[in-house]
Amino acid sequence: MRVMIIGGTSGIGLALGKHYARQGAQVALCGRDIGRLDAHPLATHPAVQRHAFDITDRGAVAQAIHAFGQHGLDLLIVTAGQYTDAATLAVQPEAGLPVLATNVGGLCAAFDAAAAIMRRQGHGHLVAVASIAGLLKDYPTGSLYSATKRAAIAICDAYRKALAPFGIAVTTLVPGYVDTARLRELNGGDATRKPFLQPEDDAVRRMAAAIERRAERCVFPWQLHALVRLFNCLPLGLRQLRRK
C-alpha cells in the first residue's frame, strides 16, 4: 500500500503516518518544513519518504504527487490546514487569504493531482480532514475558518460523486477538538477547556477505522455533533451572539 499525507509533519497527519508505517505501507510525509521530522523516528524509517512543498503551490503539489505516485498511489490524505482568528482578521484582512488558499485551493490541487493517477490505476482513495466547525450553517458573523471547512466538506462530496465511476472513494473526516500541539498553542498552551476534547491517539484511531471501511463521512464526537445541530436550529440573532 502506498500512502501520501499532506500535512504529515506534525499533529494528526504525522500520527496517521505512524499508523500506516506500522502497517507496512510505503508512506510519503509532506509539509512546508520537513526538517520538523529530523528528530522523529519516522525520519529514518526505510518505508518513509519526505517531500517539502507548500500546498498552496499547485505546481509543486502536482510534482510531488506525481513523483511518489509514479509507482502507484492507493491513499492520499490531506490534513494541511490554516487558521486565523477574527481578531487578527479585523486588523489584518489579508491574513485570511492563506486560510482560503490552503483549506480550499490546496485541497482541490491535491485531489486533482492524485485523482489523475488514481483514474489511470482504476482505484484509489482520497481523504480530507475537515472540522466539525464546517457543519455550522453559514451566518453573517460566522468565521472564515468555518466557511473554509464547510467548503472542504462540500468539495469532498463533489469529488466523491465525480470519481465514484472510476473506482475512487472519497472520505471526509470531520473531528471536533483534538488535543494536538497546534490546538494547545492556539489556546495558550492548554486546550483542556475545549468541549469534548479528544486525545490525539483516540481521534487517529477513529480516523484510521473510517478510512479502512471507506466511509463517506466520519463525524465525531457525537456529543459535539449534537450541539452543532442544536446550534444550527437557533434563530439567526442568537447564532450571531456566538463567540469566535
Side-chain angles (χ1 to χ4, degrees):
M1 185 176 186
R2 295 180 62 80
V3 181
M4 189 172 210
I5 303 173
I6 302 178
T9 60
S10 64
I12 290 170
L14 180 56
L16 284 167
K18 289 166 58 179
H19 168 80
Y20 288 108
R22 285 197 302 266
Q23 289 192 337
Q26 297 288 318
V27 179
L29 299 177
C30 312
R32 288 177 296 177
D33 181 12
I34 57 173
R36 300 170 72 178
L37 294 172
D38 286 347
H40 194 278
L42 284 185
T44 56
H45 194 292
V48 174
Q49 299 180 21
R50 291 187 284 173
H51 295 264
F53 60 86
D54 189 325
I55 196 173
T56 65
D57 183 339
R58 180 174 279 267
V61 170
Q63 184 177 14
I65 291 176
H66 175 76
F68 182 73
Q70 62 182 326
H71 300 296
L73 179 59
D74 300 296
L75 175 62
L76 174 80
I77 305 173
V78 180
T79 70
Q82 284 270 15
Y83 173 83
T84 300
D85 61 27
T88 299
L89 289 171
V91 297
Q92 191 181 351
E94 64 272 17
L97 299 179
V99 179
L100 182 65
T102 298
N103 298 359
V104 179
L107 177 60
C108 289
F111 273 17
D112 284 344
I117 294 170
M118 292 175 180
R119 288 199 309 272
R120 292 195 294 269
Q121 297 174 161
H123 68 88
H125 193 172
L126 302 174
V127 177
V129 177
S131 167
I132 213 163
L135 297 178
L136 292 169
K137 285 184 179 179
D138 190 22
Y139 57 100
T141 57
S143 72
L144 172 63
Y145 178 78
S146 293
T148 62
K149 291 303 182 179
R150 189 162 54 249
I153 292 169
I155 286 166
C156 288
D157 291 344
Y159 274 84
R160 185 180 305 112
K161 290 180 181 295
L163 297 176
F166 301 96
I168 301 170
V170 180
T171 294
T172 319
L173 302 172
V174 191
Y177 294 108
V178 179
D179 193 15
T180 61
R182 177 58 175 159
L183 184 65
R184 292 191 293 274
E185 178 187 336
L186 291 170
N187 289 273
D190 181 11
T192 55
R193 293 185 179 180
K194 293 296 183 182
F196 307 108
L197 182 69
Q198 306 153 87
E200 185 176 271
D201 288 346
D202 289 352
V204 168
R205 278 193 292 271
R206 284 177 179 260
M207 291 178 179
I211 294 169
E212 178 68 24
R213 65 178 183 268
R214 297 170 77 87
E216 291 188 357
R217 187 181 293 185
C218 177
V219 184
F220 63 96
W222 68 266
Q223 298 97 325
L224 192 56
H225 190 193
L227 286 179
V228 167
R229 285 182 291 184
L230 178 62
F231 178 83
N232 286 338
C233 294
L234 294 176
L236 179 60
L238 291 178
R239 279 189 276 146
Q240 291 183 155
L241 295 176
R242 175 179 175 265
R243 293 180 61 189
K244 302 298 181 294

